[in-house]
Structures are given as C-alpha cells and as structure tokens.
Amino acid sequence: MAVELLRPEAMIFDMDGTLFKTETLLIPVFHKVFDRLREEGLYSGETPPEELILSCLGMLLPDIWRRVLPNQSEAVHRRADALLLEFELEGLRQLDTELYPQVLETLGELKRRGVRLFVASNGLEHYVKGVAEAHRILTLFEGIYSAGEYQTATKVDLVKLLMDRHGVSHAWMVGDRSSDVEAGKGNGLGVIGCAYAGFGDGSELVGSDVLISSFGELIPLYDQAEKSVV
C-alpha cells in the first residue's frame, strides 16, 4: 500500500503510456511508415494491425521491429527506425497529440513540492525530447534519458545510469510496462504502475507497489508517503 512507500527525493517517469498518450501520434505515423516502405520497395503486403504496434510500446526499437517486421532484414529495420523518427517529429508539429489528463498540472505540483523529476524511456532521443518540448513539459525535468541516446541494453541499465549521474538514492519509478517494473525493482526503487493506458496485457504491472488509474493520484500518494516518514 501507499503508506509503505518511503517519500521519494525523485520520480522517474516512462514517456509512452505514462506521460504521453502515444496512440494520438503513433497510429497515423505507423501507417505512414509502412506506406513509405512499400513505396521504396522494402516491404510488400498489408500494414500490420494497429494493435500489434501498440502492444510493443515500451520495448526497445530492435525488439519492436523483430515483432512487427519479423521476416525483414536488419537494413529494413534500420530504415523503419529512420522513417519512424522522421514522421514522429513531423507529427508532433502537425498533429493534435495529447498528454494524459492531469500530467502537466501534476508534474508542476510535484516540482513545487521539491521532487526532482526525470524521464527514462526506451525510445529514440529526439522523439522523447520532442514530445516533452512539444507539450511544454521539457523544463520541468532535471534530466531526460533515452535508450536511443545512451544505447543501454535494458531500462534497468538506463535508470541506473540516470541515478548515478544525478546522485539519486531514493526514487519512485512511474510507468506502464513490465520494463518499468523491472527498472524500478532492479534499482531498489518504489514502483508506481500506471494502469490507465491499457497497452499491455494484465501481467505487465505485476510487482508494482501501487497501481494508479489516473496520473493525478501521484499527489495524494506522495503526500501520504511523506506523512508516513518519521
């Protein structure tokens, strides 16, 4: 329960499915990537189901393409990487993308309470920072870490790197996928599982200390934990 969580000096957030309502960008981008791959003669056949790409959110890009394009070469996967980033950045400028409700207000309130805020994402560097910039939350974070920038093999490694670089000793990991649970537990952190995105199956958040159904619940969780610390 929340009363068992110690007050954190920092919170480390996943991006997709936690802060950012990714389907508002990814669905149109996904179709554009496959249209372009077909135009370039790198792929034939139908675009894979949208549910497949959404189920891969939170995974490292090489693992995503191995699931979505299992019979294609590494060269095709790398071209898909480049197209995905190109169309995502374009989409952030042109599409009506969304954060989850209460994200901006809650992050601001946590920062006012003195909580250090970070992002740790398995996405590409320019995409993750681009989302934060497009939605005016970039300046709220002390650091934004991505697997694309630091080439980490797992989110456990990425979060450890973040903690070491910023001298963070006690934090909550906040995310919606099993990789977030693993990253938190692998670094001795409290884990807040975000159950509102619904991209994974029911087992994704097993091992979380607390599940939340809306982002704004972080404020009472923090306040309750603070009061429980002697």
Side-chain angles (χ1 to χ4, degrees):
M1 299 297 294
V3 293
E4 297 171 349
L5 286 170
L6 296 176
R7 179 181 58 185
E9 62 176 297
M11 292 191 196
I12 303 169
F13 298 93
D14 176 44
M15 178 62 80
D16 292 322
T18 300
L19 303 176
F20 183 50
K21 200 170 184 180
T22 315
E23 65 270 28
T24 60
L25 174 66
L26 188 59
I27 294 302
V29 163
F30 180 63
H31 287 283
K32 289 181 74 171
V33 167
F34 278 86
D35 288 345
R36 180 67 67 82
L37 289 174
R38 279 189 289 265
E39 288 174 13
E40 295 180 359
L42 297 174
Y43 179 78
S44 60
E46 297 297 317
T47 299
E50 294 172 357
E51 294 76 13
L52 178 58
I53 190 69
L54 289 175
S55 74
C56 295
L57 286 176
M59 297 170 62
L60 294 166
L61 273 174
D63 296 328
I64 290 176
W65 297 126
R66 278 193 283 271
R67 287 188 61 181
V68 176
L69 291 167
N71 301 315
Q72 302 296 321
S73 68
E74 189 70 16
V76 173
H77 290 179
R78 298 293 71 76
R79 180 58 179 153
D81 277 348
L83 290 172
L84 183 69
L85 180 59
E86 175 188 341
F87 293 140
E88 283 176 335
L89 295 179
E90 180 182 285
L92 285 169
R93 293 190 297 269
Q94 298 176 356
L95 297 173
D96 187 20
T97 60
E98 300 174 26
L99 299 175
Y100 283 100
Q102 302 175 295
V103 164
L104 180 60
E105 301 88 340
T106 301
L107 290 175
E109 191 57 45
L110 288 169
K111 193 172 182 71
R112 280 189 289 275
R113 279 163 160 74
V115 182
R116 302 168 68 190
L117 307 179
F118 299 89
V119 169
S121 168
N122 276 336
L124 294 169
E125 175 189 2
H126 294 297
Y127 163 71
V128 177
K129 291 178 178 175
V131 170
E133 185 171 14
H135 289 280
R136 296 182 172 87
I137 57 174
L138 184 65
T139 58
L140 294 173
F141 296 106
E142 189 173 328
I144 293 185
Y145 282 67
S146 63
E149 180 174 4
Y150 292 100
Q151 298 298 302
T152 43
T154 68
K155 188 169 275 192
V156 176
D157 296 338
L158 185 65
V159 169
K160 184 179 188 307
L161 175 67
L162 182 162
M163 293 176 66
D164 288 346
R165 286 196 170 193
H166 292 271
V168 174
S169 59
H170 183 63
W172 290 354
M173 182 71 214
V174 184
D176 70 308
R177 303 307 299 264
S178 59
S179 58
D180 300 310
V181 179
E182 291 162 5
K185 292 304 177 183
N187 286 286
L189 308 181
V191 176
I192 311 300
C194 300
Y196 45 80
F199 293 138
D201 60 35
S203 67
E204 285 283 335
L205 294 173
V206 170
S208 299
D209 295 296
V210 176
L211 295 179
I212 59 174
S213 57
S214 67
F215 195 79
E217 292 175 43
L218 284 172
I219 297 296
L221 274 178
Y222 177 82
D223 288 346
Q224 188 174 4
E226 183 175 20
K227 291 171 185 175
S228 71
V229 175
V230 178

